[in-house]
Amino acid sequence: MANVGIIFGSNAGDAKEVAEFVGANFDAEIVDAKELTAEFFTRFTRFIFVASTHAYGELQKDFKAKLDLVKEADFTGKTIALVGVGNQAKHPKTFSDGLVEFLPLIRGAKVVGASEVGNYTNFENSLSLINGKFVGLVVDYKGDAEWKNRANAWINALKPVF
């Protein structure tokens, strides 16, 4: 049985590719948010949520439709890392905003994996930027040809605490 549950929500496949890239570095089971059930949350103590942001800072629609399941899950004693997929140039005022929709719902969890802004300087605002760091890994999939290097650095930093 896998040790990490990864859930992704993706419209065009960007977040799916990022989830698969991250998952390849862990003993992970990856599920599309469309297929998410409450039972999935009982099978793991470590989770990675990978979600893209759309429109005006909205969480990806399939993941948004499953937020009640997330809210009802008991995350006490569990560890969660967040990954946001966005586009700085196309959405500079709401870059990866959707990622923060998880925060009030994952009470009891230890949230790990905050990341530096680094070379992501082409956005004006991001709700996922808290105290100078993103609440998780943030990937500009279409605007950053080096996103895999950014993800690898995050994965390497995450492994000791995950």
Side-chain angles (χ1 to χ4, degrees):
M1 181 170 128
N3 292 320
V4 178
I6 298 179
I7 308 151
F8 73 88
S10 188
N11 286 357
D14 301 351
K16 178 182 181 186
E17 184 173 334
V18 173
E20 289 171 347
F21 183 83
V22 170
N25 291 277
F26 295 96
D27 179 15
E29 180 178 335
I30 303 172
V31 65
D32 190 324
K34 290 185 278 194
E35 309 300 323
L36 183 63
T37 64
E39 182 270 335
F40 190 79
F41 292 119
T42 66
R43 295 181 23 225
F44 304 95
T45 59
R46 295 176 293 160
F47 296 92
I48 300 174
F49 294 178
V50 182
S52 52
T53 298
H54 297 273
Y56 194 76
E58 296 293 319
L59 184 64
Q60 190 273 341
K61 63 183 171 59
D62 299 321
F63 226 137
K64 191 166 187 86
K66 298 291 184 156
L67 286 180
D68 283 342
L69 287 179
V70 175
K71 183 179 181 180
E72 293 168 8
D74 180 8
F75 292 112
T76 305
K78 297 184 179 187
T79 304
I80 297 177
L82 303 172
V83 178
V85 179
N87 186 309
Q88 300 176 82
K90 192 172 179 183
H91 302 288
K93 295 182 183 189
T94 60
F95 180 51
S96 288
D97 278 1
L99 197 59
V100 299
E101 289 192 46
F102 296 117
L103 295 178
L105 306 178
I106 54 177
R107 291 179 305 270
K110 177 181 177 184
V111 179
V112 297
S115 66
E116 299 292 334
V117 173
N119 65 343
Y120 283 15
T121 57
N122 295 328
F123 67 96
E124 296 171 34
N125 188 55
S126 176
L127 295 177
S128 65
L129 188 63
I130 299 174
N131 296 325
K133 289 188 173 188
F134 290 116
V135 296
L137 171 64
V138 171
V139 171
D140 184 345
Y141 181 84
K142 291 187 172 127
D144 179 8
E146 302 295 319
W147 72 264
K148 288 182 180 178
N149 292 336
R150 182 178 180 87
N152 277 327
W154 180 79
I155 290 163
N156 290 332
L158 185 65
K159 282 184 175 182
V161 297
F162 204 66

